Amino acid sequence: MEHSTSAADRSALPKPPTPGFLHRRYARLLASAGIEVNGKRPWDLRVNDERMFARCLRDGTLGFGDAYVDGWWDAPALDELFARLIAAKLDERAPNIPRAFATLRAAFTNLQTRYRARAVAETHYDLGNELYRAMLGETMVYTCAWWAQATTLDEAQRAKLDLVCRKLGLERGMRVLDIGCGWGSFARHAAKHYGARVVGVTISQEQAALGRELCAGLDVDIRLQDYRDVDGRFDRIVSLGMFEHVGRKNYRVYMETARRLLEPDGLFLLHTIGRNDQGAGIDPWVTRYIFPNSEIPSLKRVSMALDRLFVVEDLHNFGADYARTLAAWRDNFVHAWPEFAARMPGDFYRRWTYYLSLFMGVFRARGLQLWQLVLSPEGVPGGYRRPA
């Protein structure tokens, strides 16, 4: 016979603990973004350890990310939770002491000297080429894809590479510099399909090694070299997703370097993530665990660095495409994870999915943008026309 609990028995049971002050405070804050603590919707935040609230108060977004990695909270639709947080600007309204310190540090310290610049290669890009092959797909492109007429990640990445080549007006025999060339994806495309002669520079040993292998037989020279040390003259310069690692203290040096290397009638295409405001462009969790010393630029800081060096011929924003790109990367990563689980640290899976989901949400909420700027030293005679 099934036992039923009487009213007297129920009164003797321990009552669930009353949510503490910090729990209630953060619950109200999250509710303003349409997120319920311990709710049942996919984007609701489910608390596994009440200590997370004190951690968030003390460490801001750093504590929020660390608490997730440690399993103190969960959300089935992590990317949608972030989209709602960003749309409601909760990242600006919640206390974030580590971000304040990071902002001050970026203002007074050059975090991207030649020595410090190597940290992002060692921490992120040298994780292992097989991991990136599995996540990025056949093209091995680690920047925003262009989905205008594409249905798969590889199609969208090839479309982006071809768009860049057409924006630059590449012709056979042109000498091209690829700053931050990654695994040589653009260099390979430009040499194979347009007959360009490409020099690619990267500070990642893993990228350089695989890039040389993938570009074998083409007129491509992949160098392990800092952009500041490049010499020569080039008809075209391209930089896809590297400017986020330059840092405000070096924006002017970066642009002066590009200007020095570019022929007077040349074109320079800069592809970078960008901010909507003049904030620091630094998230303490991202810079600690994913992209050390990185800083996302504002359009104002980019334009100041260009002053008297380049004419802005074209500015193209397709940042909304980044959420779909990140979703494809995350799906690939999750699918391939069993192959890598035994080789990676125990917290890697949660940290990596948090990183990809965080940026998915931010781009979906249009908190960040993706800009392609086409620049010329003196202005294109008769004007520049973006290709269809």
Side-chain angles (χ1 to χ4, degrees):
M1 181 176 178
E2 191 172 311
H3 176 73
S4 61
T5 305
S6 67
D9 291 335
R10 287 196 298 272
S11 65
L13 294 173
K15 295 181 179 179
T18 302
F21 169 75
L22 286 179
H23 181 125
R24 297 193 303 272
R25 178 182 176 181
Y26 277 99
R28 287 194 298 270
L29 197 61
L30 290 166
S32 69
I35 300 167
E36 183 179 347
V37 173
N38 295 327
K40 296 181 180 180
R41 297 167 301 185
W43 58 84
D44 285 334
L45 188 149
R46 301 171 190 183
V47 179
N48 302 322
D49 191 318
E50 287 285 328
R51 291 177 297 170
M52 69 158 288
F53 297 111
R55 197 170 187 177
C56 291
L57 180 65
R58 183 190 66 203
D59 295 336
T61 55
L62 176 62
F64 191 58
D66 283 346
Y68 177 82
V69 173
D70 288 344
W72 289 15
W73 66 271
D74 277 296
L78 195 57
D79 53 302
E80 182 59 24
L81 179 143
F82 284 121
R84 290 168 179 266
L85 291 176
I86 297 301
K89 302 189 184 303
L90 259 63
D91 59 321
E92 301 174 11
R93 293 160 53 192
N96 201 340
I97 294 173
R99 180 177 287 175
F101 279 115
T103 300
L104 287 172
R105 186 173 178 231
F108 294 103
T109 307
N110 186 350
L111 301 177
Q112 295 84 9
T113 61
R114 282 177 173 79
Y115 175 76
R116 286 174 171 158
R118 294 199 298 270
V120 72
E122 295 165 359
T123 299
H124 192 84
Y125 296 108
D126 288 343
L127 277 171
N129 289 329
E130 290 309 308
L131 174 68
Y132 286 111
R133 278 184 189 270
M135 186 176 89
L136 302 179
E138 182 181 328
T139 61
M140 290 291 286
V141 179
Y142 200 12
T143 54
C144 181
W146 192 45
W147 293 88
Q149 296 178 334
T151 57
T152 69
L153 176 63
D154 287 334
E155 287 176 358
Q157 291 291 17
R158 291 191 186 98
K160 188 269 300 296
L161 294 176
D162 206 66
L163 176 68
V164 171
C165 291
R166 290 185 290 114
K167 283 184 176 182
L168 288 171
L170 283 192
E171 297 176 1
R172 180 169 298 279
M174 280 187 171
R175 186 165 165 80
V176 181
L177 172 65
D178 184 355
I179 301 176
C181 65
W183 293 273
S185 303
F186 170 81
R188 187 167 68 252
H189 187 92
K192 182 177 180 180
H193 297 286
Y194 287 83
R197 300 154 53 213
V198 188
V199 172
V201 296
T202 176
I203 57 172
S204 165
Q205 295 184 12
E206 291 286 324
Q207 287 185 335
L210 182 56
R212 290 166 185 152
E213 178 185 325
L214 294 176
C215 294
L218 297 170
D219 198 344
V220 174
D221 178 13
I222 303 292
R223 303 175 183 174
L224 190 64
Q225 186 177 37
D226 189 285
Y227 71 92
R228 287 163 283 205
D229 298 326
V230 178
D231 288 317
R233 280 285 196 170
F234 299 87
D235 302 297
R236 300 290 189 265
I237 298 177
V238 64
S239 183
L240 306 179
M242 181 270 180
F243 195 66
E244 300 89 335
H245 302 306
V246 171
R248 71 180 75 172
K249 296 291 184 182
N250 303 300
Y251 290 163
R252 185 66 178 181
V253 170
Y254 178 91
M255 295 301 177
E256 289 174 341
T257 300
R259 181 66 181 84
R260 171 175 59 82
L261 297 171
L262 189 62
E263 292 286 1
D265 61 348
L267 291 175
F268 171 27
L269 187 142
L270 176 66
H271 169 119
T272 181
I273 296 172
R275 292 179 61 84
N276 298 327
D277 55 55
Q278 299 308 312
I282 297 170
D283 180 86
W285 189 89
V286 172
T287 55
R288 175 172 293 189
Y289 298 112
I290 308 299
F291 298 116
N293 301 323
S294 62
E295 180 173 9
I296 296 174
S298 67
L299 197 56
K300 179 178 179 180
R301 289 196 175 109
V302 173
S303 64
M304 289 173 63
L306 297 174
D307 187 45
R308 299 186 181 184
L309 292 175
F310 288 104
V311 173
V312 178
E313 300 285 359
D314 188 59
L315 173 58
H316 184 188
N317 181 356
F318 54 97
D321 283 13
Y322 226 142
R324 188 172 178 182
T325 305
L326 285 152
W329 291 344
R330 190 182 67 175
D331 288 347
N332 287 346
F333 171 74
V334 171
H335 178 75
W337 176 246
E339 178 186 346
F340 299 97
R343 314 182 214 171
M344 307 302 284
D347 61 1
F348 188 87
Y349 181 83
R350 287 182 71 88
R351 176 168 290 123
W352 208 253
T353 51
Y354 183 91
Y355 144 57
L356 295 171
S357 300
L358 167 62
F359 279 98
M360 278 175 65
V362 174
F363 278 102
R364 185 177 301 149
R366 302 308 305 278
L368 292 175
Q369 311 306 320
L370 189 286
W371 300 320
Q372 282 191 352
L373 290 84
V374 177
L375 312 170
S376 69
E378 304 293 342
V380 175
Y384 175 86
R385 299 291 182 269
R386 182 195 299 173

